[in-house]
Each structure stands twice: as structure tokens, then as C-alpha cells.
Amino acid sequence: MIPDHPDFGIDPSLDGGRLAPIFSRFGRLHLPGFLREPGAKALVAALSGADGWTMSTMGGGSTVDIPVEAFTAADEAARTALIASAHGEARSGFHYLFHSLRISDLVESGAPVPPALAALYEWLNGEAFLSFARALSGDPELAYVDAQATRYLPGHYLNEHDDEKPGAGRRLAYVLNLTPTWRPSWGGLLGFLDADGHVAEAYTPAFNALNLFRVPQPHMVSQVAAFAGGPRLSITGWIRTGR
């Protein structure tokens, strides 16, 4: 049985100090099998059964959050108009469309959150994970990790951007992939862009792999294909110098 309050831990084969030279050279890493298996499975169960998802997108340059239930209940014309507007803005600028569950905000406000997600947030801000991130990145100032769950369905995307936000203390970005099965042809790839705008490297959202990369760094999540076999699930955020 998968526990509601799992004990998270990093796979012992992964050593932050040993990986540091690779991260220093490339500024990013894909770490398969990051968590011990019971913890990863508990997170999949929590995300699959979670309520309270919002459709996160943009309108006129500002964040727009719509409860998924409200979007689903709207008439077809309203849904079609919203998607058409999103695509119009996405065509020529930064834009995104996916489902979100803001774990940090929920935990800090005392709102209901699946126990496994609350436990992960606590663990990410504990010494075990922060020490790993400091050793790997060579950055001793890392002190806080925020977290949100994301769910990409067919048609969802995240356009190119670099995560830079002056004053926010963002040093590293991370994506903990929690989709049990995924094929590269389904889209949803985390792509890193070079100076010429080419995709220099892309990571498939492999189950229980941690993608970690330095901020700022141009990247994107490619649109999920209409024929994808399920939702692309992950927990993502920034490792920062403070709250």
C-alpha cells in the first residue's frame, strides 16, 4: 500500500558533489530515478486524485486562473473563444496554457492539499534536498523551494522564456516528472534553446526524473499532441535564495 505521508529520499546512487562538474559545464541535468520509488508512486496517486486544479493561462499579458470545473461547465462557444484568444496571444509572444495546483500557496495558507504533496513541499525545504542542490550547483545561498503541480492535457503548452524575475532570488529551476508512461512523439518536451533559436537539447518527461537547470536559461514545453495517451504530470518550481 502507498502511504499518504511518504518518506521521501533521493536515490543513493545520485551524489550532488559528484554531479557538480557536469552541471557546471552544461547548466542543466536530467536525473532519472530521482526519488525512492514509494515516494514517487505516492505523488502520482496524489496528483491523480487531487481536486482544485485551475486552468492557468494569460490574457493581455496578465495571469488568468480559471477553475477547471468552471471551464468544463462553460458552454462550447465560451470555451472555444478562450482557446482562440490564447492561441492568438501565443502566436507571437510568451504564453502558456496548462492546469496548475499551487502547492506552496495552498500549504502556506492552510488550504486543503493532498498529504503527499504537503509532505513533498516540506521535504523540498528540508536539509536533505537543499544540501543536494547546493552541492550540485555550487551555490551555498539556496534556501527555499517553491512548488506547483502541473497537468498538461492535449493542446497545452508553455512558450519560450528564461524564468528570470529580478528580486525573486531564483537561482535554479526544477521539474520532477511524474507521468508513469510517456512517448516523445506525444510532445510535452522540455526544450532548451540556443542563441540561434534552435532546440539545443530536449528532455522527455520520463517518470521520476528530475530536470534541474540554472536560471536564466531559455526553455519551453512543447505543445502536447492531440493523440497523447494521458496527462503530463509534474511538480515544478524554483530553488531560491529566500521566500
Side-chain angles (χ1 to χ4, degrees):
M1 178 177 292
I2 298 171
D4 285 337
H5 299 271
D7 292 324
F8 294 105
I10 299 170
D11 186 285
S13 68
L14 299 173
D15 180 276
R18 183 169 54 82
L19 293 166
I22 305 171
F23 187 81
S24 177
R25 179 181 177 186
F26 296 103
R28 55 182 179 259
L29 275 176
H30 174 84
L31 302 175
F34 182 70
L35 291 178
R36 291 198 293 264
E37 188 172 342
K41 287 184 174 180
L43 292 173
V44 174
L47 293 179
S48 298
D51 297 319
W53 292 90
T54 62
M55 175 177 281
S56 292
T57 187
M58 297 181 70
S62 298
T63 297
V64 176
D65 286 337
I66 304 169
V68 169
E69 292 83 358
F71 179 79
T72 303
D75 61 58
E76 184 177 356
R79 296 196 305 270
T80 299
L82 187 146
I83 298 300
S85 176
H87 288 174
E89 293 190 19
R91 194 164 293 118
S92 58
F94 174 59
H95 205 271
Y96 53 85
L97 179 68
F98 55 82
H99 293 169
S100 173
L101 195 64
R102 292 189 172 87
I103 299 169
S104 305
D105 293 347
L106 292 170
V107 172
E108 298 299 330
S109 68
V113 61
L117 302 185
L120 178 74
Y121 177 60
E122 181 179 2
W123 180 79
L124 289 172
N125 283 286
E127 192 57 30
F129 180 75
L130 285 171
S131 292
F132 175 85
R134 292 176 192 130
L136 185 147
S137 66
D139 188 340
E141 297 183 341
L142 301 179
Y144 173 65
V145 185
D146 58 32
Q148 71 165 334
T150 64
R151 182 173 66 187
Y152 285 69
L153 301 181
H156 289 178
Y157 57 86
L158 173 63
N159 280 2
E160 58 267 29
H161 63 294
D162 64 11
D163 278 351
E164 187 167 27
K165 184 178 180 181
R170 297 175 179 176
R171 297 289 177 83
L172 306 175
Y174 73 93
V175 182
L176 177 59
N177 297 288
L178 294 165
T179 306
T181 303
W182 197 264
R183 297 182 63 187
S185 57
W186 293 354
L189 305 182
L190 174 60
F192 296 92
L193 310 178
D194 65 19
D196 295 323
H198 300 297
V199 177
E201 189 172 24
Y203 298 154
T204 300
F207 175 65
N208 195 22
L210 181 75
N211 299 328
L212 192 69
F213 55 98
R214 189 177 293 121
V215 174
Q217 188 166 172
H219 62 283
M220 56 177 277
V221 175
S222 62
Q223 188 177 52
V224 174
F227 54 83
R232 177 192 186 273
L233 300 171
S234 69
I235 294 174
T236 183
W238 296 279
I239 307 175
R240 297 158 42 182
T241 57
R243 293 177 185 268

